[in-house]
Amino acid sequence: MTFLFAINPVSGGRDKSDWEAGIRQFFADLPHAVHVLELNGKTDDELVRQHIALHQPDRVVAVGGDGTIKCVGTQLLGTDTVLGILPAGSANGLARELGIPPDIEASLNVLINGTPKPVDVISINEGDICLHLGDIGLNARVVKHYQANNWRGMFGYLRAVIKALQTRQLLRVEINLGETCVSRAALMVVLANARMYGTGAVINPDGDMSDGQFEVVIFRRLAIWEILKLFWRYRPFDPRSIEIYPATSISVETRRKAYFQIDGEYRGRINQLKAAIKPGALTILVPPEVAP
């Protein structure tokens, strides 16, 4: 097979030289062709497209965090080319969701022995996609602080959380779920294709990336017991604090512009959003025991 590795050198604030060395060492005695592309953070989409066209790889591997995975995965939507993941970001939420191990050797083994798994993708405003989790409100503000201050790791994320909580505000949101319309005051609204954030917080306990739908999670208020459930996975949530609605397409409107993020990337402030599921639009390599 031919592999193309797209490495984000700054993802997670960690040096990726060990990852590249590990890749080359792992494949040194194997009968596969390996090409390495270093992303630059400016023209990544075009670079990935060019190298896919040049090398015609069987598997394209994102080496980085959720943002890198999304960048690479976008170029593979609707194709037969399989996406591989080497989790080299800060939180690695999507890799954790899919059971991909965090160490180099084990995650490289998944590229050879893993099982291709079709997963759903959420189309956002007809020009963007969400593979993992996107949200409006409190967490998006956390992501903004985290990125704007170039904070790294879990300590940096905690600093961003504290800063966001100091200025938190309720949003007035209208959510059209097709047969149901919901009007709420909420701290945030999550579009959940998966179950958990990279922190391990399980915001969507019944989420399944291959079930042909996503969930809309409305976080209405901070309640200590409900927050504990996020990390210890007790359920169901108290609907006075957290509501969950399954959906295949929705529209969301906020009374004023709100912070918005997709897959850990801050997208600015918006007051309108449309989302729809694209079933099985991307194929990702996962450990065999995770594939069913």
Side-chain angles (χ1 to χ4, degrees):
M1 291 183 291
T2 298
F3 288 81
L4 172 63
F5 290 84
I7 299 178
N8 183 345
V10 299
S11 178
R14 293 186 288 170
D15 181 12
K16 300 301 185 301
S17 57
D18 287 348
W19 284 89
E20 183 170 353
I23 291 165
R24 296 196 181 280
Q25 181 178 353
F26 181 86
F27 282 92
D29 297 322
L30 296 176
H32 306 295
V34 171
H35 304 280
V36 175
L37 162 65
E38 185 170 296
L39 303 177
N40 59 28
K42 297 178 181 178
T43 59
D44 293 343
D45 291 344
E46 183 60 28
L47 281 172
V48 173
R49 279 196 297 270
Q50 288 176 353
H51 281 73
I52 289 174
L54 177 64
H55 300 297
Q56 296 292 304
D58 300 288
R59 296 177 175 179
V60 183
V61 184
V63 186
D66 290 342
T68 307
I69 296 167
K70 179 186 171 183
C71 169
V72 176
T74 298
Q75 308 309 318
L76 304 180
L77 291 176
T79 73
D80 295 328
T81 306
V82 179
L83 173 67
I85 297 173
L86 296 186
S90 296
N92 301 311
L94 185 55
R96 178 185 294 196
E97 181 78 32
L98 294 170
I100 296 170
D103 65 282
I104 298 176
E105 185 77 16
S107 56
L108 282 165
N109 271 309
V110 174
L111 302 183
I112 301 297
N113 301 311
T115 301
K117 178 182 177 69
V119 300
D120 305 332
V121 169
I122 304 175
S123 171
I124 306 288
N125 290 339
E126 299 181 352
D128 207 343
I129 64 165
C130 173
L131 301 181
H132 186 225
L133 296 163
D135 51 59
I136 303 168
L138 182 62
N139 184 65
R141 179 174 282 199
V142 172
V143 171
K144 177 182 183 295
H145 293 322
Y146 186 80
Q147 293 180 350
N149 291 283
N150 200 31
W151 292 332
R152 298 295 180 184
M154 295 307 295
F155 179 70
Y157 186 78
L158 180 60
R159 292 177 66 187
V161 168
I162 293 171
K163 187 175 178 66
L165 286 174
Q166 290 172 343
T167 55
R168 68 183 185 273
Q169 293 178 319
L170 287 173
L171 301 172
R172 295 289 178 178
V173 297
E174 301 283 342
I175 305 171
N176 186 330
L177 296 150
E179 295 182 356
T180 305
C181 290
V182 177
S183 178
R184 293 287 186 270
L187 285 169
M188 68 177 184
V189 177
V190 184
L191 306 182
N193 194 34
R195 297 178 304 120
M196 71 179 81
Y197 284 109
T199 58
V202 180
I203 192 76
N204 181 30
D206 295 320
D208 181 343
M209 293 186 66
S210 301
D211 63 357
Q213 65 180 20
F214 61 99
E215 283 72 41
V216 181
V217 184
I218 305 173
F219 206 113
R220 301 178 64 179
R221 61 188 178 98
L222 292 175
I224 296 300
W225 180 241
E226 299 306 309
I227 292 172
L228 290 176
K229 288 181 184 179
L230 298 178
F231 292 94
W232 277 273
R233 306 185 188 185
Y234 299 123
R235 50 182 179 170
F237 294 122
D238 184 341
R240 293 173 297 179
S241 297
I242 300 174
E243 294 178 292
I244 302 177
Y245 295 90
T248 55
S249 65
I250 66 163
S251 61
V252 180
E253 291 189 15
T254 60
R255 191 168 296 179
R256 55 182 172 79
K257 287 193 173 183
Y259 297 92
F260 179 49
Q261 71 86 22
I262 305 174
D263 293 336
E265 299 281 326
Y266 180 62
R267 285 289 193 267
R269 299 181 71 175
I270 64 170
N271 57 10
Q272 291 184 327
L273 179 149
K274 290 185 178 181
I277 199 71
K278 290 187 172 183
L282 182 64
T283 303
I284 302 179
L285 283 166
V286 300
E289 63 273 16
V290 177

